[in-house]
Protein backbone atom coordinates (compact mmCIF):
# COMPACT_ATOMS: atom_id res chain seq x y z
CA UNK A 1 0.00 0.00 0.00
CA UNK A 2 1.41 3.38 -0.92
CA UNK A 3 2.22 5.69 1.98
CA UNK A 4 -0.14 8.65 2.28
CA UNK A 5 1.16 12.05 1.23
CA UNK A 6 -0.15 14.83 3.41
CA UNK A 7 0.40 18.54 3.00
CA UNK A 8 1.26 20.67 6.00
CA UNK A 9 -1.37 23.00 7.43
CA UNK A 10 0.28 26.42 7.96
CA UNK A 11 -2.21 27.44 10.64
CA UNK A 12 -1.03 24.59 12.83
CA UNK A 13 2.43 26.07 13.17
CA UNK A 14 0.94 29.45 14.10
CA UNK A 15 -1.07 27.79 16.83
CA UNK A 16 2.00 25.96 18.10
CA UNK A 17 3.93 29.19 18.29
CA UNK A 18 1.08 30.88 20.14
CA UNK A 19 0.60 28.14 22.70
CA UNK A 20 4.23 27.27 23.15
CA UNK A 21 5.50 23.89 24.19
CA UNK A 22 5.64 24.87 27.85
CA UNK A 23 2.01 25.90 27.76
CA UNK A 24 1.01 22.64 26.11
CA UNK A 25 2.82 20.61 28.72
CA UNK A 26 1.31 22.71 31.49
CA UNK A 27 -2.24 22.02 30.29
CA UNK A 28 -2.23 18.29 31.00
CA UNK A 29 -2.37 16.16 34.08
CA UNK A 30 0.40 13.58 34.37
CA UNK A 31 -1.86 10.61 33.69
CA UNK A 32 -4.23 12.12 31.14
CA UNK A 33 -2.82 10.14 28.21
CA UNK A 34 -5.96 9.98 26.12
CA UNK A 35 -6.49 13.71 26.64
CA UNK A 36 -2.96 14.43 25.42
CA UNK A 37 -3.48 12.39 22.27
CA UNK A 38 -6.96 13.80 21.62
CA UNK A 39 -5.70 17.37 22.01
CA UNK A 40 -2.83 16.68 19.61
CA UNK A 41 -4.98 14.94 17.01
CA UNK A 42 -8.03 17.18 17.03
CA UNK A 43 -6.82 20.64 18.03
CA UNK A 44 -3.05 21.11 17.81
CA UNK A 45 -2.25 19.04 14.71
CA UNK A 46 -5.51 18.07 12.99
CA UNK A 47 -4.89 16.02 9.87
CA UNK A 48 -1.13 16.39 10.31
CA UNK A 49 -0.23 13.77 12.92
CA UNK A 50 1.17 10.25 12.54
CA UNK A 51 1.70 7.45 15.04
CA UNK A 52 4.93 5.46 15.05
CA UNK A 53 4.64 2.09 16.80
CA UNK A 54 7.05 -0.80 17.29
CA UNK A 55 4.17 -3.21 18.03
CA UNK A 56 6.29 -4.30 20.96
CA UNK A 57 5.54 -5.34 24.52
CA UNK A 58 3.70 -2.14 25.53
CA UNK A 59 2.42 -0.98 22.15
CA UNK A 60 -1.14 -2.13 22.73
CA UNK A 61 -1.62 0.67 25.29
CA UNK A 62 -0.76 3.50 22.89
CA UNK A 63 -2.68 1.88 20.04
CA UNK A 64 -5.73 1.48 22.28
CA UNK A 65 -5.60 5.24 22.86
CA UNK A 66 -5.40 5.73 19.09
CA UNK A 67 -8.47 3.55 18.59
CA UNK A 68 -10.39 5.66 21.10
CA UNK A 69 -9.39 9.01 19.61
CA UNK A 70 -9.51 8.14 15.90
CA UNK A 71 -8.91 4.60 14.53
CA UNK A 72 -8.18 6.08 11.09
CA UNK A 73 -5.07 7.93 12.30
CA UNK A 74 -2.06 6.75 10.26
CA UNK A 75 0.05 4.23 12.17
CA UNK A 76 3.53 3.36 10.90
CA UNK A 77 5.36 0.15 11.78
CA UNK A 78 9.06 -0.12 10.95
CA UNK A 79 9.32 -3.53 9.33
CA UNK A 80 13.09 -3.84 9.57
CA UNK A 81 13.30 -7.36 8.18
CA UNK A 82 14.78 -8.50 11.51
CA UNK A 83 11.65 -8.78 13.68
CA UNK A 84 10.50 -11.84 15.57
CA UNK A 85 7.76 -13.67 13.71
CA UNK A 86 5.68 -13.21 16.87
CA UNK A 87 5.90 -9.43 16.38
CA UNK A 88 4.68 -9.65 12.79
CA UNK A 89 1.77 -11.81 13.95
CA UNK A 90 1.06 -9.32 16.75
CA UNK A 91 0.67 -6.50 14.22
CA UNK A 92 -2.24 -8.35 12.64
CA UNK A 93 -3.69 -9.25 16.05
CA UNK A 94 -3.81 -5.63 17.23
CA UNK A 95 -5.11 -4.30 13.93
CA UNK A 96 -8.06 -6.66 14.18
CA UNK A 97 -8.67 -6.36 17.92
CA UNK A 98 -8.51 -2.55 18.03
CA UNK A 99 -10.10 -1.85 14.66
CA UNK A 100 -7.16 0.17 13.39
CA UNK A 101 -7.87 1.26 9.83
CA UNK A 102 -4.68 2.87 8.61
CA UNK A 103 -1.60 0.78 9.52
CA UNK A 104 1.39 0.92 7.19
CA UNK A 105 4.60 -1.13 7.20
CA UNK A 106 7.71 0.93 6.43
CA UNK A 107 10.56 -1.07 4.89
CA UNK A 108 14.26 -0.20 4.51
CA UNK A 109 15.52 0.73 1.08
CA UNK A 110 16.60 -2.50 -0.69
CA UNK A 111 19.52 -0.65 -2.28
CA UNK A 112 20.76 0.39 1.17
CA UNK A 113 20.48 -3.17 2.45
CA UNK A 114 22.37 -4.48 -0.57
CA UNK A 115 25.08 -1.87 -0.21
CA UNK A 116 25.50 -1.71 3.58
CA UNK A 117 24.29 -5.09 4.85
CA UNK A 118 24.45 -7.64 2.02
CA UNK A 119 24.97 -10.59 4.39
CA UNK A 120 22.39 -9.44 6.93
CA UNK A 121 24.92 -9.46 9.77
CA UNK A 122 25.66 -5.76 10.19
CA UNK A 123 23.92 -5.88 13.58
CA UNK A 124 26.78 -8.01 14.91
CA UNK A 125 29.56 -5.53 14.17
CA UNK A 126 27.84 -2.15 13.89
CA UNK A 127 24.35 -2.06 15.44
CA UNK A 128 24.18 1.74 15.14
CA UNK A 129 24.52 1.56 11.35
CA UNK A 130 22.11 -1.36 11.21
CA UNK A 131 19.48 0.65 13.09
CA UNK A 132 20.20 3.62 10.88
CA UNK A 133 19.51 1.91 7.55
CA UNK A 134 16.65 -0.24 8.85
CA UNK A 135 14.87 2.29 11.10
CA UNK A 136 16.02 5.88 11.08
CA UNK A 137 16.55 6.26 7.36
CA UNK A 138 13.24 4.66 6.26
CA UNK A 139 11.24 6.67 8.79
CA UNK A 140 12.50 10.07 7.66
CA UNK A 141 10.42 10.42 4.48
CA UNK A 142 7.38 9.38 6.50
CA UNK A 143 7.73 11.88 9.34
CA UNK A 144 8.69 14.63 6.92
CA UNK A 145 5.10 14.51 5.62
CA UNK A 146 3.67 15.50 9.00
CA UNK A 147 4.00 18.40 11.39
CA UNK A 148 4.03 15.98 14.32
CA UNK A 149 4.18 12.35 15.32
CA UNK A 150 3.30 10.24 18.34
CA UNK A 151 5.60 7.88 20.23
CA UNK A 152 5.06 5.33 23.00
CA UNK A 153 8.09 6.39 25.06
CA UNK A 154 7.87 6.57 28.84
CA UNK A 155 9.99 8.18 31.54
CA UNK A 156 10.58 4.99 33.52
CA UNK A 157 12.20 3.12 30.63
CA UNK A 158 15.71 4.60 30.79
CA UNK A 159 17.49 7.41 32.62
CA UNK A 160 17.82 9.21 29.28
CA UNK A 161 14.01 9.29 29.04
CA UNK A 162 13.61 10.34 32.67
CA UNK A 163 12.81 13.97 31.75
CA UNK A 164 10.49 13.17 28.87
CA UNK A 165 7.56 15.63 28.53
CA UNK A 166 4.22 15.09 26.82
CA UNK A 167 5.18 17.48 24.01
CA UNK A 168 8.58 18.09 22.46
CA UNK A 169 9.53 20.57 19.76
CA UNK A 170 12.47 19.31 17.70
CA UNK A 171 14.95 21.61 16.04
CA UNK A 172 13.34 20.95 12.66
CA UNK A 173 10.08 22.50 13.97
CA UNK A 174 8.15 19.27 14.32
CA UNK A 175 6.31 18.33 17.46
CA UNK A 176 6.59 14.92 19.06
CA UNK A 177 3.77 13.74 21.30
CA UNK A 178 4.41 11.29 24.13
CA UNK A 179 1.01 10.50 25.69
CA UNK A 180 2.44 7.78 27.95
CA UNK A 181 5.40 9.82 29.20
CA UNK A 182 4.30 9.68 32.85
CA UNK A 183 3.05 6.09 32.87
CA UNK A 184 4.95 3.76 35.20
CA UNK A 185 5.57 0.10 34.45
CA UNK A 186 2.71 -0.75 36.82
CA UNK A 187 0.42 1.74 35.03
CA UNK A 188 1.13 0.08 31.70
CA UNK A 189 0.44 -3.41 32.99
CA UNK A 190 -2.73 -2.34 34.79
CA UNK A 191 -4.00 -0.55 31.68
CA UNK A 192 -3.56 -3.73 29.66
CA UNK A 193 -5.51 -5.68 32.28
CA UNK A 194 -8.28 -3.09 32.62
CA UNK A 195 -8.88 -3.02 28.87
CA UNK A 196 -8.26 -6.72 28.19
CA UNK A 197 -5.60 -5.95 25.62
CA UNK A 198 -3.89 -8.81 23.79
CA UNK A 199 -0.38 -9.41 25.11
CA UNK A 200 2.64 -9.68 22.86
CA UNK A 201 3.36 -13.43 22.61
CA UNK A 202 6.94 -12.95 23.87
CA UNK A 203 6.07 -10.83 26.92
CA UNK A 204 5.24 -13.81 29.13
CA UNK A 205 8.59 -15.36 28.20
CA UNK A 206 10.50 -12.48 29.77
CA UNK A 207 10.84 -10.06 26.86
CA UNK A 208 9.83 -6.74 28.43
CA UNK A 209 10.98 -4.49 25.57
CA UNK A 210 10.88 -6.03 22.12
CA UNK A 211 12.73 -4.86 19.05
CA UNK A 212 14.58 -6.74 16.33
CA UNK A 213 15.22 -10.39 17.14
CA UNK A 214 19.05 -10.37 16.97
CA UNK A 215 19.34 -7.44 19.41
CA UNK A 216 16.62 -8.35 21.93
CA UNK A 217 17.02 -10.65 24.93
CA UNK A 218 15.05 -11.70 27.99
CA UNK A 219 15.01 -9.29 30.94
CA UNK A 220 15.75 -10.69 34.38
CA UNK A 221 13.70 -9.86 37.47
CA UNK A 222 14.58 -6.38 38.74
CA UNK A 223 16.35 -5.28 35.57
CA UNK A 224 15.55 -2.13 33.64
CA UNK A 225 12.73 -3.04 31.20
CA UNK A 226 14.99 -2.08 28.27
CA UNK A 227 18.02 -3.98 29.58
CA UNK A 228 17.34 -6.65 26.98
CA UNK A 229 17.87 -4.25 24.10
CA UNK A 230 21.42 -4.29 22.70
CA UNK A 231 22.59 -6.11 25.84
CA UNK A 232 26.26 -5.59 26.62
CA UNK A 233 26.59 -2.57 24.35
CA UNK A 234 26.70 1.13 25.18
CA UNK A 235 23.48 1.65 23.26
CA UNK A 236 20.01 2.51 24.51
CA UNK A 237 18.22 3.95 21.47
CA UNK A 238 17.89 3.03 17.81
CA UNK A 239 18.34 6.67 16.79
CA UNK A 240 14.88 7.82 15.70
CA UNK A 241 14.23 9.83 18.88
CA UNK A 242 15.61 13.16 19.98
CA UNK A 243 14.92 14.47 23.48
CA UNK A 244 15.27 18.11 24.29
CA UNK A 245 18.08 17.19 26.72
CA UNK A 246 20.14 16.10 23.71
CA UNK A 247 20.98 12.73 25.23
CA UNK A 248 19.39 10.42 22.68
CA UNK A 249 19.97 11.36 19.05
CA UNK A 250 20.08 14.26 16.67
CA UNK A 251 16.91 15.55 14.98
CA UNK A 252 15.80 13.55 11.99
CA UNK A 253 16.94 15.85 9.21
CA UNK A 254 19.13 13.91 6.84
CA UNK A 255 20.81 16.89 5.22
CA UNK A 256 21.99 18.06 8.65
CA UNK A 257 22.90 14.71 10.15
CA UNK A 258 24.60 12.88 7.29
CA UNK A 259 27.95 14.00 5.94
CA UNK A 260 28.40 11.57 3.03
CA UNK A 261 27.24 13.05 -0.29
CA UNK A 262 26.68 10.46 -3.00
CA UNK A 263 24.28 10.05 -5.90
CA UNK A 264 22.80 13.50 -5.36
CA UNK A 265 21.99 13.31 -1.65
CA UNK A 266 23.42 13.17 1.85
CA UNK A 267 23.07 9.52 2.84
CA UNK A 268 23.87 7.13 5.67
CA UNK A 269 27.55 6.27 5.84
CA UNK A 270 28.39 2.72 6.96
CA UNK A 271 32.13 3.41 7.17
CA UNK A 272 34.04 4.53 10.24
CA UNK A 273 37.57 5.70 10.94
CA UNK A 274 40.19 3.25 12.15
CA UNK A 275 40.63 3.60 15.94
CA UNK A 276 42.90 2.16 18.61
CA UNK A 277 40.24 -0.46 19.28
CA UNK A 278 40.15 -1.66 15.65
CA UNK A 279 41.83 -4.97 14.84
CA UNK A 280 42.97 -6.33 11.50
CA UNK A 281 41.08 -9.60 11.96
CA UNK A 282 37.69 -8.19 12.96
CA UNK A 283 37.46 -4.65 11.53
CA UNK A 284 34.30 -4.02 9.51
CA UNK A 285 33.27 -1.03 7.41
CA UNK A 286 36.49 0.76 8.37
CA UNK A 287 38.77 2.81 6.13
CA UNK A 288 42.16 1.27 6.88
CA UNK A 289 45.11 3.68 6.53
CA UNK A 290 47.29 2.54 3.63
CA UNK A 291 50.51 2.06 5.65
CA UNK A 292 48.60 0.03 8.23
CA UNK A 293 47.12 -2.14 5.48
CA UNK A 294 50.58 -2.81 4.06
CA UNK A 295 51.88 -3.75 7.52
CA UNK A 296 48.92 -6.08 8.22
CA UNK A 297 48.16 -7.21 4.69
CA UNK A 298 47.65 -10.93 5.31
CA UNK A 299 45.33 -10.46 8.30
CA UNK A 300 43.28 -7.80 6.53
CA UNK A 301 42.96 -9.85 3.36
CA UNK A 302 41.74 -12.77 5.47
CA UNK A 303 39.22 -10.53 7.24
CA UNK A 304 35.76 -11.48 5.85
CA UNK A 305 34.14 -8.09 6.46
CA UNK A 306 33.80 -5.16 4.04
CA UNK A 307 36.76 -2.79 4.28
CA UNK A 308 37.84 0.53 2.84
CA UNK A 309 41.24 2.13 2.30
CA UNK A 310 42.37 5.56 3.49
CA UNK A 311 45.00 7.24 1.30
CA UNK A 312 46.80 10.26 2.73
CA UNK A 313 49.04 12.70 0.83
CA UNK A 314 52.39 11.06 0.32
CA UNK A 315 51.02 7.50 0.37
CA UNK A 316 51.94 5.41 -2.67
CA UNK A 317 48.82 3.84 -4.13
CA UNK A 318 51.15 1.63 -6.19
CA UNK A 319 51.97 -0.27 -2.99
CA UNK A 320 48.47 -1.79 -2.93
CA UNK A 321 47.82 -2.09 -6.65
CA UNK A 322 47.30 -5.85 -6.46
CA UNK A 323 44.76 -5.51 -3.64
CA UNK A 324 42.54 -2.67 -4.84
CA UNK A 325 39.63 -4.99 -5.56
CA UNK A 326 39.56 -5.85 -1.84
CA UNK A 327 38.19 -2.43 -0.97
CA UNK A 328 34.53 -1.42 -1.23
CA UNK A 329 35.54 2.22 -0.83
CA UNK A 330 38.73 4.25 -1.07
CA UNK A 331 38.89 7.50 0.89
CA UNK A 332 41.38 10.10 -0.31
CA UNK A 333 42.38 12.67 2.28
CA UNK A 334 42.51 16.36 1.31
CA UNK A 335 44.02 17.97 4.43
CA UNK A 336 44.21 21.45 2.91
CA UNK A 337 42.79 23.32 -0.03
CA UNK A 338 46.23 23.75 -1.58
CA UNK A 339 47.23 20.08 -1.38
CA UNK A 340 46.53 18.64 -4.82
CA UNK A 341 48.08 15.20 -4.45
CA UNK A 342 44.66 13.62 -3.90
CA UNK A 343 43.60 14.50 -7.43
CA UNK A 344 46.53 12.54 -8.83
CA UNK A 345 45.67 9.55 -6.66
CA UNK A 346 42.06 9.60 -7.90
CA UNK A 347 43.17 9.73 -11.54
CA UNK A 348 45.59 6.86 -11.03
CA UNK A 349 42.82 4.76 -9.49
CA UNK A 350 40.37 5.36 -12.31
CA UNK A 351 42.62 5.74 -15.35
CA UNK A 352 45.58 3.49 -14.60
CA UNK A 353 44.04 0.82 -12.37
CA UNK A 354 40.41 0.95 -13.58
CA UNK A 355 39.10 0.99 -10.01
CA UNK A 356 35.30 1.11 -10.26
CA UNK A 357 34.05 1.19 -6.65
CA UNK A 358 33.47 4.22 -4.45
CA UNK A 359 36.20 6.86 -4.37
CA UNK A 360 35.45 9.47 -1.76
CA UNK A 361 37.11 12.73 -0.77
CA UNK A 362 37.52 13.35 2.95
CA UNK A 363 39.06 16.15 4.97
CA UNK A 364 38.96 19.79 3.86
CA UNK A 365 36.33 19.39 1.14
CA UNK A 366 35.21 22.79 -0.16
CA UNK A 367 32.75 23.64 -2.93
CA UNK A 368 35.40 25.12 -5.24
CA UNK A 369 37.24 21.79 -5.23
CA UNK A 370 34.30 19.54 -5.98
CA UNK A 371 34.10 19.99 -9.79
CA UNK A 372 37.82 19.21 -9.96
CA UNK A 373 37.38 16.20 -7.70
CA UNK A 374 34.59 14.81 -9.82
CA UNK A 375 36.50 15.11 -13.08
CA UNK A 376 39.32 13.08 -11.52
CA UNK A 377 36.99 10.19 -10.66
CA UNK A 378 35.82 11.01 -7.14
CA UNK A 379 32.16 9.97 -6.84
CA UNK A 380 31.47 10.58 -3.14
CA UNK A 381 32.29 13.38 -0.69
CA UNK A 382 32.35 13.74 3.07
CA UNK A 383 31.33 17.38 3.52
CA UNK A 384 31.09 19.15 6.87
CA UNK A 385 31.63 22.76 5.72
CA UNK A 386 28.15 24.28 5.90
CA UNK A 387 28.36 26.54 2.79
CA UNK A 388 29.67 23.55 0.83
CA UNK A 389 26.85 21.35 2.10
CA UNK A 390 24.32 24.00 1.07
CA UNK A 391 25.89 24.31 -2.38
CA UNK A 392 25.66 20.54 -2.86
CA UNK A 393 22.06 20.37 -1.67
CA UNK A 394 21.03 23.29 -3.87
CA UNK A 395 23.07 22.15 -6.89
CA UNK A 396 24.94 25.42 -7.29
CA UNK A 397 28.57 24.34 -7.53
CA UNK A 398 30.95 26.41 -9.67
CA UNK A 399 31.68 25.26 -13.21
CA UNK A 400 35.14 24.65 -14.63
CA UNK A 401 35.66 25.21 -18.36
CA UNK A 402 39.42 25.79 -18.61
CA UNK A 403 41.85 22.94 -17.96
CA UNK A 404 45.60 23.06 -17.50
CA UNK A 405 45.77 19.28 -17.02
CA UNK A 406 42.96 17.68 -19.05
CA UNK A 407 41.30 14.52 -17.81
CA UNK A 408 39.50 11.93 -19.91
CA UNK A 409 39.03 12.17 -23.66
CA UNK A 410 36.88 15.29 -24.01
CA UNK A 411 38.86 18.05 -22.26
CA UNK A 412 41.49 20.16 -24.03
CA UNK A 413 44.09 22.36 -22.34
CA UNK A 414 43.92 26.13 -22.16
CA UNK A 415 45.97 27.85 -24.91
CA UNK A 416 45.23 25.27 -27.59
CA UNK A 417 44.44 26.90 -30.95
CA UNK A 418 40.66 26.99 -31.55
CA UNK A 419 40.80 24.74 -34.63
CA UNK A 420 42.76 22.15 -32.63
CA UNK A 421 40.37 22.13 -29.67
CA UNK A 422 39.17 18.60 -30.05
CA UNK A 423 39.84 15.41 -28.17
CA UNK A 424 42.98 13.63 -29.32
Amino acid sequence: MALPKLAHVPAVHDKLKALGILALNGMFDEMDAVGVLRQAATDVLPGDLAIVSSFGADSAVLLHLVAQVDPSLPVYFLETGKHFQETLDYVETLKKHLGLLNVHAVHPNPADIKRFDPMGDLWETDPDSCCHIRKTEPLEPVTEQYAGWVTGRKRFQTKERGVLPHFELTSDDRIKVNPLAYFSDADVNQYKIDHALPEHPLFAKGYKSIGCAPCTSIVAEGEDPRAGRWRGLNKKECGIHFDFNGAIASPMTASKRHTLWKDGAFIADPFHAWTDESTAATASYVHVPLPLFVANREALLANPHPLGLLVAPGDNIEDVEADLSRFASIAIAFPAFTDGRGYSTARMLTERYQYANEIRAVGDVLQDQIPLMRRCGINALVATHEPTRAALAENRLPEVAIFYQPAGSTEVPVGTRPFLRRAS
Side-chain angles (χ1 to χ4, degrees):
M1 179 184 297
L3 301 182
K5 299 288 186 181
L6 299 180
H8 288 305
V9 182
V12 169
H13 298 286
D14 293 337
K15 184 174 291 186
L16 280 176
K17 291 177 182 178
L19 289 174
I21 294 300
L22 289 177
L24 278 173
N25 284 313
M27 288 171 62
F28 296 97
D29 203 45
E30 287 188 353
M31 295 297 293
D32 190 13
V34 70
V36 170
L37 182 58
R38 181 172 288 113
Q39 175 75 8
T42 62
D43 188 22
V44 178
L45 298 166
D48 214 359
L49 186 70
I51 288 82
V52 177
S53 176
S54 67
F55 284 81
D58 297 338
S59 296
V61 176
L62 175 63
L63 295 174
H64 184 262
L65 299 178
V66 172
Q68 293 180 69
V69 172
D70 182 357
S72 68
L73 282 170
V75 177
Y76 293 95
F77 167 61
L78 286 166
E79 216 301 51
T80 64
K82 294 290 184 181
H83 282 297
F84 292 98
Q85 181 58 48
E86 289 88 342
T87 297
L88 303 181
D89 295 339
Y90 193 49
V91 172
E92 299 306 315
T93 298
L94 288 183
K95 283 168 58 177
K96 182 177 180 181
H97 182 85
L98 299 174
L100 301 174
L101 305 175
N102 201 6
V103 177
H104 304 271
V106 180
H107 299 268
N109 187 326
D112 285 343
I113 298 298
K114 181 178 180 181
R115 179 185 178 204
F116 299 139
D117 193 12
M119 304 303 293
D121 57 0
L122 183 58
W123 62 271
E124 293 185 89
T125 57
D126 191 351
D128 285 334
S129 291
C130 186
C131 287
H132 197 87
I133 63 174
R134 294 180 181 274
K135 293 183 178 181
T136 313
E137 195 77 10
L139 189 59
E140 280 181 0
V142 173
T143 57
E144 285 173 353
Q145 301 173 60
Y146 300 91
W149 51 297
V150 181
T151 85
R153 293 176 299 163
K154 309 161 196 72
R155 287 188 166 201
F156 77 86
Q157 290 173 317
T158 65
K159 66 178 182 179
E160 290 83 5
R161 295 181 178 184
V163 292
L164 194 68
H166 279 137
F167 295 90
E168 296 172 89
L169 189 64
T170 63
S171 62
D172 56 0
D173 292 324
R174 289 185 175 80
I175 191 167
K176 288 169 71 173
V177 186
N178 310 299
L180 304 178
Y182 291 90
F183 268 46
S184 67
D185 191 24
D187 294 330
V188 172
N189 292 328
Q190 190 59 49
Y191 190 100
K192 289 190 283 188
I193 293 171
D194 291 345
H195 297 278
L197 298 179
E199 197 70 88
H200 192 293
L202 295 177
F203 185 78
K205 298 180 180 180
Y207 293 88
K208 305 305 181 185
S209 179
I210 303 167
C212 292
C215 299
T216 303
S217 59
I218 292 173
V219 175
E221 189 69 31
E223 278 191 305
D224 185 301
R226 285 176 65 86
R229 304 288 291 277
W230 307 287
R231 186 178 292 278
L233 300 176
N234 184 26
K235 180 176 172 64
K236 296 294 183 183
E237 297 283 346
C238 65
I240 65 174
H241 294 303
F242 173 73
D243 284 344
F244 62 85
N245 62 6
I248 292 182
S250 59
M252 295 197 334
T253 305
S255 61
K256 293 183 179 180
R257 185 183 58 252
H258 305 326
T259 58
L260 177 63
W261 177 269
K262 187 172 182 180
D263 298 329
F266 285 105
I267 63 173
D269 186 356
F271 281 92
H272 304 278
W274 183 276
T275 68
D276 291 340
E277 287 73 37
S278 302
T279 64
T282 62
S284 178
Y285 289 97
V286 171
H287 281 105
V288 184
L290 189 149
L292 194 149
F293 177 82
V294 172
N296 298 270
R297 181 176 180 274
E298 291 188 8
L300 286 163
L301 289 179
N303 181 323
H305 302 296
L307 293 175
L309 182 71
L310 174 62
V311 184
D315 287 344
N316 293 318
I317 197 69
E318 299 96 326
D319 294 344
V320 294
E321 174 186 354
D323 303 313
L324 290 175
S325 61
R326 172 65 180 88
F327 305 113
S329 170
I330 295 180
I332 300 176
F334 288 79
F337 183 81
T338 55
D339 194 323
R341 288 173 287 182
Y343 301 107
S344 299
T345 298
R347 290 188 64 177
M348 289 178 67
L349 286 169
T350 56
E351 297 175 19
R352 180 183 298 181
Y353 301 129
Q354 305 299 308
Y355 180 79
N357 292 336
E358 178 186 273
I359 304 176
R360 63 168 68 179
V362 300
D364 190 27
V365 177
L366 302 176
Q367 57 183 303
D368 290 347
Q369 299 168 291
I370 294 174
L372 303 174
M373 291 174 172
R374 286 175 169 169
R375 61 191 283 272
C376 291
I378 291 171
N379 53 30
L381 309 155
V382 174
T384 58
H385 181 244
E386 287 305 322
T388 296
R389 292 168 59 80
L392 282 165
E394 297 166 15
N395 194 28
R396 50 176 176 80
L397 295 172
E399 295 183 2
V400 178
I402 297 177
F403 311 101
Y404 289 94
Q405 294 179 322
S409 61
T410 60
E411 297 177 1
V412 294
V414 64
T416 305
R417 295 174 184 272
F419 58 87
L420 292 179
R421 292 195 179 191
R422 59 180 181 273
S424 59

